[in-house]
């Protein structure tokens, strides 16, 4: 029993380093799949992969860059701007990717944004007229459509 507990303790102590490496590896895999989806024009799939990579390595810049590029393709400049700003905070000013991101960020800032979509109207509580043979005295009579 003590031997089993010792192995568990060793495994738990080694887990943080291995978990960090596995997060990086998993994030890279999500980035690779996302880049392939992006180049194939499947921007929704690319977004899912880049979001997964971002969740795994929120302190790394590249997922934010790819998210921004993808959001531009999807027409969502608001989300693209958020991703680009985060990317720019995480990289040094001389990074070779900065000019591309800055150009797209500036383009998004000049793009007029559509007003937020209004919530769909809630269904009215009044029931639709039923085709009953004779209306009951307490219910309103159905209104005939205009001719």
């Amino acid at each position: 029993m003590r031997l089993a507990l010792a192995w568990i303790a060793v495994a738990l102590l080694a887990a943080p380093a291995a978990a960090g490496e596995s997060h990086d590896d998993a994030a890279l895999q999500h980035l690779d799949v996302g880049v392939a989806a992006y180049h194939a024009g499947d921007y929704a799939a690319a977004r899912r992969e880049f979001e997964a990579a971002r969740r795994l390595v929120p302190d790394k810049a590249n997922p934010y860059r790819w998210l921004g590029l993808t959001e531009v393709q999807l027409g969502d400049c608001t989300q693209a701007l958020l991703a680009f700003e985060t990317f720019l905070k995480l990289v040094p000013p001389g990074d070779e990717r900065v000019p591309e991101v800055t150009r797209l960020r500036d383009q998004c800032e000049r793009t007029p944004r559509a007003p937020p979509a209004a919530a769909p109207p809630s269904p009215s509580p009044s029931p639709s007229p039923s085709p009953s043979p004779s209306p009951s005295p307490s219910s309103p009579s159905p209104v005939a459509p205009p001719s």
Side-chain angles (χ1 to χ4, degrees):
M1 181 69 170
R2 287 186 182 182
L3 183 60
L5 289 176
W7 277 108
I8 291 172
V10 168
L12 289 175
L13 291 174
E21 289 173 19
S22 67
H23 278 173
D24 287 349
D25 292 341
L28 282 174
Q29 186 168 1
H30 283 292
L31 280 172
D32 288 343
V33 172
V35 169
Y38 180 91
H39 288 299
D42 188 352
Y43 301 117
R47 177 197 279 157
R48 285 190 301 273
E49 294 298 327
F50 298 142
E51 283 288 345
R54 181 196 53 80
R55 282 190 300 274
L56 289 168
V57 289
D59 58 330
K60 304 285 185 180
N62 215 23
Y64 294 100
R65 174 180 168 261
W66 281 104
L67 271 169
L69 295 173
T70 302
E71 296 297 356
V72 167
Q73 292 299 318
L74 290 168
D76 190 344
C77 274
T78 301
Q79 290 303 311
L81 288 169
L82 293 171
F84 288 153
E85 289 304 320
T86 303
F87 170 81
L88 292 169
K89 288 177 186 174
L90 292 172
V91 298
D95 187 288
E96 64 185 13
R97 299 166 294 177
V98 168
E100 171 194 41
V101 168
T102 303
R103 179 180 54 79
L104 289 170
R105 180 200 60 193
D106 293 347
Q107 180 182 329
C108 268
E109 286 175 341
R110 289 189 304 270
T111 302
R113 291 185 188 88
S122 58
S124 65
S126 61
S128 59
S130 60
S132 60
S134 60
S136 68
S138 63
S139 65
S141 61
V143 177
S147 331

